[in-house]
Amino acid sequence: MNEFLKATIYSDTEPNEGQKKAFMDFLTKKYGSGVLLSWEHDDKIKGGFKLFVGAEVYDWTAEGRFAQLKEALAGIKGEGDNIIPLIRDTLNTWIPSAMAEEVGTVITVGDGIAEVSGLQNATYGETLLFSGGIRGMVQDMRDDEIGCILFGDDEEISAGSTVRRTGKTAGVPVGEEFIGRVIDALGTPIDGSGPIAASGYRAVEHPAPGIIDRQPVQKPLDTGILAIDSMFPIGRGQRELIIGDRQTGKTAVAVDTILNQKGKDVICIYVSIGQKASSVAQLVQNLKKRGAMDYTIVINASASDPAPLQYIAPYAGCAHGEYFMERGKDVLIVYDDLSKHAIAYRSLSLLLQRAPGREAYPGDVFYLHSRLLERSAHLSDEKGGGSMTALPIVETQAGDISAYIPTNVISITDGQIFLESDLFFSGQRPAVNVGLSVSRVGGDAQTKAMKKASGAIRLDLAQYREMEVFTQFAGDLDDETRNQLVYGQGLMQMLRQEQYSPYTMSEQVVILVIMLAHVLRAVEPGDIKSVIAKLLQYFKDKRADILEKIEKSGQLGDDDKAEILKTAEKFIEGR
């Protein structure tokens, strides 16, 4: 039994026999014989017609032809006065063409998910256009229907609504104009400062740079946090996980790192996923207050936003970062946090009826974060030499870093900074656990001065922590053990740092040289922090030349070290 393809003309007036013959000739040429043509009256169409052939639509109404012209004009590339002749030429030479537009039908909709039939040629990740102008992205493909996530209020969509393909991969507008702005996951400004004139459009999903296109991570990206830069250095192009329980200062570490990039020609991107809108507003105010918004883009998919926006937000942030990286710039991107991102993806997957696995997460949840974080890189000089450094944040429950999502992200990243609750509540801030934190890039991402100055600080701290546990059960202590404990307590005090107060690299070098040489052995551990602050001010006033030399050269010669110790001892004597 032969199946006929049905074609229907919708117009205000019925076509005459000559017009019907022209339609049949077109349909036979395009689809072959066996097309059944019919006409239906539609008084909404004034001039022109719409031809429905299966799931495809040929829109020859005034609106349809205007949409074609608009698309042709949107494709013009030019700047300033050069663009006017291009527009004039396009208008003079433009001829509307019979373009098939594939149209589907919504079967069910709810919870940010739409099931759609009729779009046989839709591709994974393609943007679909729903009635009311709401956009969605193809997320699930089946034999007879597709699952689509919606980037808007699904109340405006109902079963039976029409859906159109756009032929475009889901993406976001990008450009220099976004710097200093707060936007949502789709690139729409939400800071009340007016529209943004984007320079281009970039797909949110993009392959990571290949091995040949990368170069080793060697150039440091200083955080300004002594505990990190001295022991767990971060290089440009690295992915360093910040992990810990709720309210242990994870975001504070990321924000301080952003503040420390001031004047260093680094573009910073902060992606908020599932946070309270008030928290993000406060963070933006702090960045503005300290002049950091001049080089920062904030992307917010708050807890009140639908799960699809929370899911796409980090990929959108990554697309913005790649735009700058491919232009030879250095980028720092913070994902805060990927735990909530995984939860949003789990919600979408369960609604799309995908089989749940461990902890109800879908089987591809590892790929969710690996394809995001692998896009961070330090590109080769042939590719412009730009870099994108990622600081993903993951929240743990009761310090359990062996849970599903934490272990996944740990295995993807190049190290982790573990913030411990007990340390945080004891006043040790940032609460970096020296034993469980690591940087797999290590000394390669340090300046020679920092590498030389930091010496055996990790070993000294590890010995102190072991001795501290042991002495809880011991009675009398010998002088050597007591001195070791006092020295360790001093090191822990040295690593305490106020929020929004990053150190320069030269200041960190001075502090480390002085502490590891036991110059402050006579100072009570509780006074170390205040003494260091006064000591740094003394160096700025009396020996700014040493700080400047270390900062510019990145080197620490034996003479410089001797001068630092001599100046420090002079300061101690004068106290």
Side-chain angles (χ1 to χ4, degrees):
M1 181 179 170
N2 293 328
E3 288 190 10
F4 289 96
L5 183 65
K6 292 183 179 180
T8 308
I9 303 167
Y10 291 88
S11 63
D12 188 28
T13 56
E14 185 175 1
N16 57 37
E17 291 304 317
Q19 290 170 330
K20 285 182 180 178
K21 184 179 182 303
F23 277 121
M24 281 305 301
D25 289 344
F26 168 75
L27 292 169
T28 303
K29 186 177 179 182
K30 184 80 185 282
Y31 299 99
S33 57
V35 180
L36 293 177
L37 181 64
S38 61
W39 171 77
E40 286 193 21
H41 177 257
D42 189 341
D43 56 9
K44 293 178 183 176
I45 299 175
K46 302 296 182 185
F49 62 87
K50 284 186 180 180
L51 175 62
F52 284 74
V53 186
E56 294 183 334
V57 179
Y58 295 87
D59 190 345
W60 207 255
T61 61
E63 293 83 359
R65 282 174 282 182
F66 179 73
Q68 278 191 39
L69 175 60
K70 189 177 176 183
E71 194 169 330
L73 291 172
I76 296 173
K77 292 182 179 178
E79 292 183 3
D81 296 336
N82 297 331
I83 202 167
I84 296 172
L86 293 172
I87 293 172
R88 188 181 293 116
D89 184 58
T90 302
L91 290 170
N92 290 334
T93 58
W94 178 74
I95 299 171
S97 57
M99 293 170 60
E101 188 181 25
E102 201 170 344
V103 175
T105 307
V106 176
I107 303 170
T108 60
V109 63
D111 298 315
I113 301 290
E115 303 286 343
V116 177
S117 66
L119 298 178
Q120 287 89 352
N121 298 313
T123 57
Y124 184 85
E126 182 180 351
T127 300
L128 302 183
L129 194 60
F130 290 78
S131 54
I134 292 171
R135 286 181 287 169
M137 185 173 81
V138 177
Q139 190 70 17
D140 202 44
M141 308 200 70
R142 302 166 200 159
D143 291 339
D144 52 351
E145 61 187 43
I146 60 174
C148 182
I149 58 176
L150 303 173
F151 303 132
D153 189 358
D154 58 21
E155 290 183 4
E156 296 183 31
I157 303 170
S158 58
S161 300
T162 56
V163 191
R164 286 177 168 76
R165 288 185 61 196
T166 63
K168 287 184 177 180
T169 305
V172 289
V174 292
E176 301 270 351
E177 299 80 3
F178 286 87
I179 297 173
R181 301 297 300 272
V182 183
I183 57 175
D184 67 11
L186 300 176
T188 307
I190 54 175
D191 54 5
S193 298
I196 301 172
S199 302
Y201 181 88
R202 190 177 179 90
V204 293
E205 296 274 10
H206 191 267
I211 295 171
I212 302 300
D213 296 332
R214 298 172 182 249
Q215 62 176 295
V217 175
Q218 292 175 329
K219 192 176 179 183
L221 187 135
D222 295 323
T223 66
I225 300 170
L226 183 60
I228 295 171
D229 291 341
S230 61
M231 295 181 283
F232 319 107
I234 298 171
R236 300 195 179 192
Q238 190 175 339
R239 304 151 300 176
E240 184 79 0
L241 173 64
I242 302 172
I243 186 168
D245 284 3
R246 185 173 174 273
Q247 297 292 319
T248 51
K250 300 186 297 297
T251 302
V253 168
V255 170
D256 278 358
T257 306
I258 291 173
L259 294 177
N260 197 51
Q261 305 317 308
K262 190 171 185 179
K264 297 182 180 177
D265 198 24
V266 177
I267 304 296
C268 298
I269 301 170
Y270 177 82
V271 184
S272 170
I273 310 156
Q275 311 290 328
K276 290 188 295 184
S278 59
S279 301
V280 179
Q282 188 177 2
L283 181 141
V284 170
Q285 284 303 315
N286 282 324
L287 292 177
K288 278 184 181 175
K289 186 178 175 182
R290 291 164 176 84
M293 280 303 287
D294 296 340
Y295 53 87
T296 303
I297 302 170
V298 175
I299 299 170
N300 182 30
S302 66
S304 59
D305 285 335
L309 287 177
Q310 294 183 42
Y311 160 68
I312 205 171
Y315 300 105
C318 194
H320 281 278
E322 285 173 329
Y323 172 83
F324 294 106
M325 176 178 71
E326 290 178 1
R327 280 158 179 76
K329 296 193 175 181
D330 293 312
V331 179
L332 168 68
I333 185 163
V334 177
Y335 303 111
D336 190 6
D337 65 68
L338 292 188
S339 305
K340 294 183 178 68
H341 182 234
I343 290 167
Y345 183 63
R346 176 171 64 183
S347 302
L348 293 177
S349 296
L350 293 174
L351 289 166
L352 287 167
Q353 299 174 22
R354 291 181 180 170
R358 177 177 165 185
E359 296 176 32
Y361 288 105
D364 64 340
V365 75
F366 179 89
Y367 182 55
L368 173 78
H369 291 146
S370 64
R371 73 177 190 264
L372 170 71
L373 295 171
E374 286 293 337
R375 290 160 72 178
S376 297
H378 189 183
L379 295 180
S380 62
D381 292 333
E382 292 76 16
K383 290 287 180 179
S387 71
M388 182 159 63
T389 309
L391 293 182
I393 295 175
V394 165
E395 185 180 299
T396 54
Q397 305 291 329
D400 183 14
I401 60 172
S402 63
Y404 190 25
I405 299 303
T407 49
N408 275 354
V409 183
I410 284 170
S411 63
I412 296 164
T413 50
D414 307 311
Q416 71 273 350
I417 295 161
F418 179 57
L419 303 179
E420 190 181 335
S421 299
D422 291 344
L423 284 172
F424 184 84
F425 295 123
S426 69
Q428 185 69 32
R429 301 176 187 179
V432 179
N433 181 309
V434 178
L436 293 176
S437 301
V438 67
S439 171
R440 298 190 184 98
V441 174
D444 289 347
Q446 279 180 316
T447 60
K448 289 183 179 178
M450 180 63 79
K451 201 170 183 179
K452 188 172 182 179
S454 55
I457 184 173
R458 285 193 71 180
L459 184 62
D460 290 349
L461 282 167
Q463 287 175 344
Y464 162 69
R465 292 299 295 271
E466 276 191 25
M467 201 175 291
E468 186 185 36
V469 172
F470 174 74
T471 52
Q472 289 176 356
F473 307 101
D476 294 333
L477 300 174
D478 59 82
D479 289 343
E480 187 179 345
T481 304
R482 189 177 291 105
N483 290 337
Q484 190 81 28
L485 279 172
V486 171
Y487 170 60
Q489 288 165 1
L491 288 179
M492 293 298 285
Q493 288 291 329
M494 172 194 77
L495 296 176
R496 292 190 179 189
Q497 198 170 335
E498 298 292 331
Q499 194 179 357
Y500 311 128
S501 305
Y503 291 127
T504 63
M505 186 269 290
S506 57
E507 288 173 342
Q508 292 179 353
V509 168
V510 166
I511 294 169
L512 289 166
V513 167
I514 291 166
M515 281 302 298
L516 296 180
H518 300 261
V519 173
L520 303 183
R521 57 187 174 274
V523 179
E524 287 294 319
D527 298 330
I528 289 281
K529 200 173 162 188
S530 61
V531 170
I532 284 175
K534 291 172 184 173
L535 184 58
L536 286 177
Q537 191 57 50
Y538 183 79
F539 267 87
K540 289 175 188 175
D541 295 338
K542 306 289 185 182
R543 294 307 308 268
D545 57 312
I546 296 178
L547 296 174
E548 192 176 341
K549 183 182 177 184
I550 295 170
E551 199 70 46
K552 282 186 176 179
S553 67
Q555 305 275 353
L556 178 67
D558 291 336
D559 293 343
D560 299 325
K561 198 170 180 181
E563 282 296 317
I564 290 170
L565 294 174
K566 183 180 174 183
T567 307
E569 283 166 0
K570 189 176 178 182
F571 168 80
I572 296 296
E573 287 171 10
R575 283 182 74 234

